[in-house]
Amino acid sequence: MNLVYLNGSYLTLEKARLPITDRGFTYGDGVFTTLKVSEGKPLFLEKHLTRLARDAAAVRLTVVPIGEIKAACIGLVSRLGMQSGVLKAVLTRGAGGRGLSTKNASGSTILVSASALPRPRPCLRAVTVPDERGTLAAHKTLNYLPNVLALRRAEEAGRDEAIFVRDGFLLEATISNLVGVVDGRLLTPPLGGRVLGGVIREVLLEEHVVFEGDLPAGTSGPLYCVNSVRGVETVVELDDRPVPTDPEPQDLLGEIITRRTRLGGFL
């Protein structure tokens, strides 16, 4: 997939260049979204772009060319003849001089790239990590180092995933929202300014099968990670404690995602 969209042009990876003063590189000053391509369609594209605009507004990015980003996503899929894979759309404040001030930023940088689907992770062994990320965790910004370090901590312990916990409740995994079974109901943690509002999470709530509710850190019910690219993944161990599994809720979540995808993935 040797093609990207960068600031108005489709370029090979070898020819795509960003200035070393781009604020996305120097300060993490930008936002992004990642979405799945299936049967030649960028799935839930409108929802992803709506969230991207919301996240951009949260970090005071005043120029948000959503129409261009949408066209770039569709155009890249078309030019690559892409039937399945992953798109990543990045929006930064552009190039700027030294220092934190945004006054001299040149304007937006738009980058859309494509990659293959990741290998599936059918069963996850996870560790909990204290959530010290602050309110930016509610937005998909380029400041992802806390998530990177949390996953590294899990991998150093020989585990697959890390789950953030605060005040005795599970919040989310490093790249996924959580859905757990509590008293027979499928619950996902409320956003509360600390949880990223994922697109698949939104879809499941719209179907009135999953509801917002707290997930205790010591939950004794089945637990799932849900993500636009990876779908539904089952957590089988949390902090060296086995987590009960049940294929029925997992199948239900998977069926909802599949059905909404078959509707075109744009809803």
Side-chain angles (χ1 to χ4, degrees):
M1 298 187 183
N2 188 31
L3 192 69
V4 302
Y5 176 91
L6 177 61
N7 292 339
S9 300
Y10 293 94
L11 304 166
T12 62
L13 293 177
E14 294 77 15
K15 292 183 178 180
R17 294 288 184 270
L18 284 173
I20 62 172
T21 55
D22 190 277
R23 293 180 61 90
F25 168 69
T26 56
Y27 294 110
D29 190 358
V31 294
F32 75 100
T33 192
T34 307
L35 58 151
K36 185 176 181 179
V37 175
S38 180
E39 297 181 359
K41 297 185 179 70
L43 300 181
F44 306 110
L45 179 57
E46 297 290 350
K47 288 184 179 294
H48 279 279
L49 295 178
T50 297
R51 186 184 63 191
L52 185 72
R54 183 171 65 244
D55 292 342
V59 297
R60 306 297 193 270
L61 272 170
T62 56
V63 178
V64 187
I66 292 299
E68 181 181 351
I69 298 171
K70 178 179 179 179
C73 290
I74 296 172
L76 189 60
V77 168
S78 175
R79 283 166 171 78
L80 288 169
M82 189 177 178
Q83 287 301 301
S84 66
V86 180
L87 290 181
K88 183 175 183 178
V90 178
L91 175 67
T92 84
R93 207 179 303 271
R98 180 188 171 281
L100 298 183
S101 176
T102 63
K103 291 181 180 179
N104 297 321
S106 64
S108 301
T109 291
I110 300 170
L111 172 65
V112 181
S113 59
S115 59
L117 288 169
R119 293 179 179 178
R121 307 183 301 174
C123 297
L124 303 182
R125 296 182 301 158
V127 297
T128 56
V129 176
D131 182 38
E132 300 172 345
R133 298 171 298 165
T135 57
L136 277 181
H139 305 285
K140 205 157 189 176
T141 75
L142 297 180
N143 295 272
Y144 244 49
L145 191 56
N147 297 52
V148 171
L149 294 178
L151 183 58
R152 175 165 180 147
R153 176 174 170 177
E155 290 174 341
E156 287 175 344
R159 302 300 183 261
D160 311 295
E161 186 56 275
I163 294 176
F164 292 103
V165 63
R166 187 177 183 87
D167 298 329
F169 295 101
L170 304 177
L171 297 182
E172 61 185 342
T174 59
I175 60 169
S176 307
N177 289 120
L178 298 175
V179 174
V181 180
V182 178
D183 296 329
R185 301 178 72 217
L186 285 168
L187 301 181
T188 189
L191 300 181
R194 294 280 182 174
V195 173
L196 179 70
V199 166
I200 294 302
R201 175 186 184 277
E202 180 182 343
V203 168
L204 294 173
L205 288 171
E206 288 174 352
E207 293 292 321
H208 304 294
V209 172
V210 175
F211 303 90
E212 287 192 338
D214 292 328
L215 293 180
T219 182
S220 59
L223 184 64
Y224 310 97
C225 291
V226 296
N227 172 277
S228 290
V229 172
R230 293 184 176 274
V232 183
E233 300 177 302
T234 301
V235 178
V236 296
E237 181 184 289
L238 186 60
D239 291 336
D240 297 322
R241 174 176 58 84
V243 178
T245 60
D246 184 346
E248 186 174 345
Q250 182 178 6
D251 291 345
L252 175 61
L253 297 174
E255 287 170 6
I256 292 171
I257 296 169
T258 299
R259 177 168 56 81
R260 289 289 294 267
T261 297
R262 287 173 178 169
L263 290 174
F266 299 106
L267 304 178

